[in-house]
Amino acid sequence: MAFVLVGDDDPDTRTVLRMLLTRAGHEVMLACDGPDTVAAARHRPPDVLLLDRAMPGMDGYQVCRMLRAHPSTRTVAIMLVSAMSHYADVDDGLAAGADDYLFKPFNNQDLLARVRALASAASTGDESRHAV
């Protein structure tokens, strides 16, 4: 399966995502804020990054921009997973470089299907999925 990095400041969300993704056969690494997420992604680029929009130190949009600007992480598949559920938030997230945006609370099967699709596109080198 895929190597998934979860960047979220909420410990309960990290726990739920880790359990859900691990049960689906994915390898999971956790990060608790924006700078930690950037460092983890640069150390070992994930196949898919699940990223919260609002985090301390650096928000999800800033993380997206930093990862897209760095050669080792510019092709990482990024999905923002956020309680910020206005369409302007989705537009801003995609403009920052996210490939997908999912609202919290999310449906577990929907999240897993999206992770599979992003991991599949990433494994084939399909960069057309990037919004920018």
Side-chain angles (χ1 to χ4, degrees), residues 2-122:
F3 171 51
V4 181
L5 173 60
V6 174
D8 197 303
D9 62 319
D10 180 63
D12 293 333
T13 300
R14 287 193 309 267
T15 297
V16 166
L17 287 170
R18 182 186 63 218
M19 289 185 337
L20 179 64
L21 293 161
T22 301
R23 286 182 187 156
H26 300 291
E27 180 183 355
V28 180
M29 178 182 236
L30 304 175
C32 62
D33 61 25
D36 189 37
T37 301
V38 170
R42 286 186 177 166
H43 176 72
R44 182 176 175 206
D47 299 310
V48 177
L49 169 59
L50 300 182
L51 182 61
D52 188 20
R53 154 63 175 92
M55 293 188 295
M58 184 183 308
D59 71 23
Y61 299 159
Q62 293 169 306
V63 171
C64 281
R65 287 186 197 98
M66 287 190 76
L67 295 180
R68 290 290 180 242
H70 197 274
S72 69
T73 56
R74 74 175 178 81
T75 62
V76 168
I78 301 172
M79 179 168 48
L80 286 165
V81 182
S82 178
M84 307 284 235
S85 59
H86 294 96
Y87 288 107
D89 296 312
V90 176
D91 290 342
D92 291 345
L94 296 177
D99 300 298
D100 198 357
Y101 196 112
L102 183 64
F103 301 137
K104 292 178 186 175
F106 52 82
N107 173 283
N108 293 351
Q109 296 308 317
D110 186 27
L111 180 126
L112 290 173
R114 290 174 185 226
V115 167
R116 276 191 306 272
L118 287 170
S120 177

